[in-house]
Amino acid sequence: MKRFLSSFIVAAGILLLSSPSGQASEQPFQTGEKLTFLLRWGIIPAGEAVLRVDPPEEINGETAFHFVMTAESNSFLDLFYKVRDRIDAYTDTGMTRSLRYKNKQREGRTRRNIVVEFDWANNQAHYMNDGEKKPPVDLLSGAFDPLSVFYYLRSLDLENITVVERPVSDGKKCVIGRGTIVKRETITVPAGTYDTFLIEPDLKDVGGVFEKDKDANIHVWVTADSRHIPVKIKSKVAVGSFVGELTKVRLSLPETTQ
């Protein structure tokens, strides 16, 4: 159970560890977007993950998009391994680079409060966990954090791309994430039936359970329209197959609250 939640959070957090190089088009997301996923280990329901676009914030004097991912185990899994995780990611509004990345982990007895500052004046990422700092990591130009990179991916023309790549940093290293658009297919999830692109990230720079299993893989399905909404994530490692499927979609804030 512990390995299941940990590996799915990695899979969701990757979303992808890859993103196409090239120019982004008009942003396909709006403030208030909320995507809800059911998490399963095989056929066993295990929890819920949510991706949100929160209102913009100011980071070091610069207006920033604010992306949020939460993952929460259900009441049954709480008996064995309780998970309450939250990731906050901030990028410039031009979607050219990350500005800040926060990862608050509550997994069993594990407690982490990670903050990564992207210092573009010096091209370095500064990593801190519960106040303890690590040596800075050199950044590649245009690097994104593991969550923001997916929102950049969504703004690109996937119709005409086969292999995708983009620098990604979690504050401890900076790598070129790569992935392949495998095919286009129609799939059905609880939220409905969708025309999608199937994307497979390269896991060679991903640690944890993925590093230990040479046959491990992740597949991500995103809608083939201009929004490229993720509708399904599936990962396979030695301990089983883990799936997240879209159950609810809200594309923007209700008009009465805008």
Side-chain angles (χ1 to χ4, degrees):
M1 290 292 187
K2 174 180 177 179
R3 287 186 176 183
F4 158 57
L5 259 299
S6 297
S7 63
F8 190 90
I9 290 165
V10 170
I14 283 174
L15 274 183
L16 314 167
L17 247 187
S18 53
S19 176
S21 56
Q23 296 298 315
S25 59
E26 183 179 351
Q27 306 309 340
F29 52 81
Q30 298 181 43
T31 296
E33 181 184 271
K34 182 179 179 181
L35 310 175
T36 304
F37 298 82
L38 172 68
L39 309 182
R40 291 186 289 106
W41 176 27
I43 62 172
I44 302 173
E48 182 179 89
V50 176
L51 288 169
R52 301 199 319 259
V53 180
D54 280 7
E57 294 190 16
E58 189 171 288
I59 303 295
N60 298 324
E62 183 173 358
T63 302
F65 285 135
H66 182 190
F67 308 118
V68 179
M69 187 191 82
T70 60
E72 182 174 321
S73 52
N74 60 25
S75 58
F76 172 73
L77 197 59
D78 281 350
L79 298 173
F80 307 95
Y81 190 69
K82 187 175 181 178
V83 172
R84 298 291 186 274
D85 283 1
R86 174 174 171 139
I87 293 174
D88 291 81
Y90 304 84
T91 73
D92 69 310
T93 54
M95 288 300 292
T96 65
R97 68 203 193 287
S98 284
L99 301 176
R100 180 177 293 165
Y101 176 72
K102 298 164 64 177
N103 188 350
K104 185 175 183 179
Q105 297 179 340
R106 299 293 183 267
E107 303 171 13
R109 296 181 180 179
T110 299
R111 298 289 184 272
R112 294 189 180 94
N113 289 288
I114 297 166
V115 178
V116 181
E117 296 288 348
F118 288 76
D119 175 10
W120 290 106
N122 297 296
N123 290 321
Q124 290 183 329
H126 299 272
Y127 177 101
M128 183 169 58
N129 181 18
D130 282 328
E132 182 178 346
K133 297 181 180 179
K134 289 186 176 292
V137 170
D138 290 335
L139 289 172
L140 297 170
S141 178
F144 284 98
D145 62 77
L147 177 57
S148 294
V149 70
F150 180 69
Y151 286 90
Y152 175 73
L153 167 80
R154 288 179 56 188
S155 66
L156 300 177
D157 180 10
L158 302 183
E159 185 87 41
N160 300 306
I161 297 173
T162 302
V163 177
V164 298
E165 60 180 29
R166 185 76 182 189
V168 182
S169 178
D170 61 358
K172 294 189 287 186
K173 60 183 178 180
C174 187
V175 301
I176 296 293
R178 293 183 175 86
T180 301
I181 298 179
V182 179
K183 61 181 177 178
R184 187 167 178 167
E185 66 176 332
T186 299
I187 67 169
T188 299
V189 295
T193 299
Y194 297 91
D195 179 21
T196 68
F197 291 114
L198 168 58
I199 307 173
E200 184 174 6
D202 185 346
L203 299 180
K204 69 181 181 64
D205 291 310
V206 181
V209 291
F210 299 104
E211 184 178 41
K212 297 174 183 178
D213 183 358
K214 66 178 183 179
D215 296 321
N217 61 58
I218 298 176
H219 291 116
V220 182
W221 287 260
V222 301
T223 58
D225 60 12
S226 61
R227 294 184 182 274
H228 300 320
I229 294 172
V231 297
K232 184 176 180 179
I233 304 166
K234 183 176 182 180
S235 68
K236 176 184 174 296
V237 294
V239 293
S241 179
F242 316 125
V243 179
E245 292 184 324
L246 187 67
T247 60
K248 298 177 184 177
V249 180
R250 186 184 73 191
L251 295 179
S252 63
L253 290 172
E255 290 186 6
T256 55
T257 65
Q258 287 185 320

